[in-house]
Amino acid sequence: MMNQEEQWLLPDGVEEVLPGRARAIEQLRRQTLDLYQRWGYELVFPPLIEFMESLLNGGGRDLERETFKITDQLTGRLMGVRADITPQVARMDAHSLRRNAPSRLCYCSSALRTRPIVAGGTRLPYQLGVELFGHSGTDSDLEVISLLLETLTLSGVDHHVVLDLGHVGLFRGLLDSCDLSDSQQSQLEDIYVRKARVELDTFIASHDMPAAAGKALAALPWLAGGVDVLTEARALLSPFPGAMAALDELAVLVDVLGARGVQLHLDLGELRGYHYHTGCVFAAYLPGESEPVAKGGRYDHIGEVFGRARPATGFSADLKMLAERAESAALTGILAEGSLQDATFATTVAALREQGERVVLALPGADNDPAELGCQRRLVAQADGWVVTDL
């Protein structure tokens, strides 16, 4: 038999959202979706569950360990609960919409992960994001980064944010000159992600590769900091056309964003989501925090498995995390002390609500504490009718 504690105990990484926080989240959700609409982004609602073959296709392959799996009682087939919404939106663009013009799509829905991204974190992110399909230039990268910064402005953290910028094309451009097998490339990628200097030096020394490529691969993970690293990178990467093209794209972003006063940090060896991303990658950090409040990048060809290899760029964030930092409006209301059986009272209450007022009925026999009900005013009967007064 279940004891009393087990009746309310929630799984690790699963939390309730109580009224105060829910109000802040919903307020920010409405503001951000209105913002995205003004920028031309259309709202979509991908399904919560899908057959595994579809859910983990293409860009979703890396999410298999993060995905809860269930059996469809109608077909007996294996289904999954989405762990990330971005691959679903890519399928909608490639397969369902099939537009020729660029598609601007946005979403805000719950996802579910088998484990939190960080210890003690949530397994139920409320994922907010935008995706821009059908354009491969830096202009679309700048658009989504600008929209990310506008989102953070709504959250009230824009003045504290440091935008971390990288480009996976730098690493790919160097690999083009090296005769490495897929397994060797994966090993090198893992070393880069962990920034294991000794392992990297050992790997380069034990594999036959051009001297210039080995030198560049050894230095790239530590080319991080201010915009000055671009100058150092140009000298190092000049023999590699693919890497230089990526560096030129990154330099455009740096010039434009720097001119706007955005605090930038460059990490030229960043391989976050390497198998997923194809171009620039970015993440927004707050001081003293190890995990970004939002992240994104370019992921061209994501729709290829759905029949259309459209270029794409976008970002996502956990709205619940953003709302923790946003200032929400205080709860205000009018405590209406009357009965809906009184037609005049009912008409007055309805009129107040149409004006945008929050009106809470004082129920007979209940403890109608104004503070607990979030009310600072009262609707009471006076000689000249129903009147709103301050408490």
Side-chain angles (χ1 to χ4, degrees):
M1 180 179 295
M2 185 181 296
N3 61 40
Q4 185 173 4
E5 180 178 345
E6 290 173 331
Q7 293 179 21
W8 57 260
L9 186 65
L10 294 173
D12 290 342
V14 176
E15 70 280 351
E16 300 171 320
V17 180
L18 299 178
R21 189 175 178 218
R23 185 170 66 254
I25 293 171
E26 176 61 13
Q27 176 180 306
L28 185 57
R29 185 192 69 85
R30 296 184 187 189
Q31 291 173 338
T32 53
L33 292 181
D34 286 346
L35 170 68
Y36 300 163
Q37 183 182 41
R38 294 194 296 271
W39 280 59
Y41 287 77
E42 299 174 276
L43 182 64
V44 294
F45 289 90
L48 178 63
I49 56 174
E50 294 191 39
F51 291 124
M52 290 292 291
E53 296 88 345
S54 174
L55 192 63
L56 299 185
N57 210 344
R61 286 194 299 268
D62 293 341
L63 296 169
E64 182 169 5
R65 294 181 62 190
E66 315 296 332
T67 302
F68 274 101
K69 302 171 181 65
I70 58 178
T71 300
D72 182 8
Q73 299 300 309
L74 295 179
T75 65
R77 293 176 60 185
L78 197 61
M79 298 195 300
V81 182
R82 65 185 179 209
D84 184 9
I85 299 175
T86 300
Q88 295 182 295
V89 179
R91 185 197 65 237
M92 296 171 79
D93 170 73
H95 178 71
S96 303
L97 293 175
R98 302 191 64 83
R99 294 170 173 170
N100 293 319
S103 288
R104 291 174 171 85
L105 304 177
C106 63
Y107 57 86
C108 186
S109 298
S110 293
L112 176 63
R113 291 179 170 265
T114 57
R115 53 188 176 179
I117 296 177
V118 295
T122 183
R123 292 194 287 172
L124 281 169
Y126 196 21
Q127 191 175 341
L128 169 78
V130 305
E131 315 295 340
L132 198 166
F133 301 96
H135 187 270
S136 59
T138 52
D139 284 341
S140 48
D141 291 325
L142 279 169
E143 178 174 323
V144 298
I145 292 174
S146 299
L147 191 48
L148 166 62
L149 296 173
E150 291 276 353
T151 301
L152 297 177
T153 297
L154 289 178
S155 304
V157 299
D158 53 310
H159 297 301
H160 307 291
V161 163
V162 175
L163 188 67
D164 188 85
L165 280 176
H167 199 302
V168 299
L170 301 173
F171 181 72
R172 293 184 194 276
L174 293 177
L175 287 187
D176 288 342
S177 66
C178 302
D179 186 18
L180 298 176
S181 66
D182 290 344
S183 63
Q184 289 170 337
Q185 291 186 27
S186 295
Q187 182 183 354
L188 183 58
E189 175 199 344
D190 178 65
I191 293 172
Y192 258 62
V193 170
R194 293 184 288 111
K195 293 190 182 294
R197 185 186 293 269
V198 175
E199 288 185 47
L200 179 58
D201 292 341
T202 302
F203 180 94
I204 293 172
S206 61
H207 290 80
D208 185 20
M209 62 180 66
K215 179 181 178 182
L217 284 170
L220 193 61
W222 289 273
L223 287 178
V227 296
D228 293 343
V229 301
L230 293 177
T231 302
E232 186 178 351
R234 288 195 180 280
L236 191 67
L237 302 175
S238 58
F240 310 100
M244 287 299 295
L247 193 63
D248 289 340
E249 290 181 5
L250 191 59
V252 171
L253 299 178
V254 169
D255 288 345
V256 175
L257 295 171
R260 296 179 186 174
V262 179
Q263 297 183 64
L264 298 175
H265 177 269
L266 304 186
D267 187 349
L268 304 193
E270 174 60 67
L271 293 188
R272 180 179 59 252
Y274 175 69
H275 293 293
Y276 186 73
H277 291 294
T278 59
C280 78
V281 290
F282 49 88
Y285 288 88
L286 293 178
E289 298 194 9
S290 59
E291 288 298 314
V293 292
K295 59 185 178 181
R298 176 161 293 280
Y299 49 100
D300 294 343
H301 313 302
I302 190 172
E304 185 173 6
V305 296
F306 305 114
R308 297 188 79 199
R310 296 250 282 176
T313 182
F315 74 84
S316 65
D318 185 349
L319 186 64
K320 291 190 292 187
M321 288 180 58
L322 292 180
E324 289 178 357
R325 300 163 174 85
E327 291 187 8
S328 60
L331 185 64
T332 62
I334 299 170
L335 184 62
E337 299 177 332
S339 172
L340 293 178
Q341 298 177 41
D342 182 332
T344 304
F345 172 80
T347 299
T348 303
V349 168
L352 289 169
R353 287 171 174 164
E354 287 182 5
Q355 295 167 20
E357 295 282 3
R358 175 176 174 269
V359 183
V360 182
L361 298 180
L363 297 175
D367 181 6
N368 298 296
D369 181 3
E372 287 193 357
L373 296 176
C375 297
Q376 298 78 31
R377 290 170 292 164
R378 174 181 282 129
L379 179 65
V380 295
Q382 294 186 355
D384 54 350
W386 292 96
V387 178
V388 176
T389 63
D390 292 329
L391 284 170

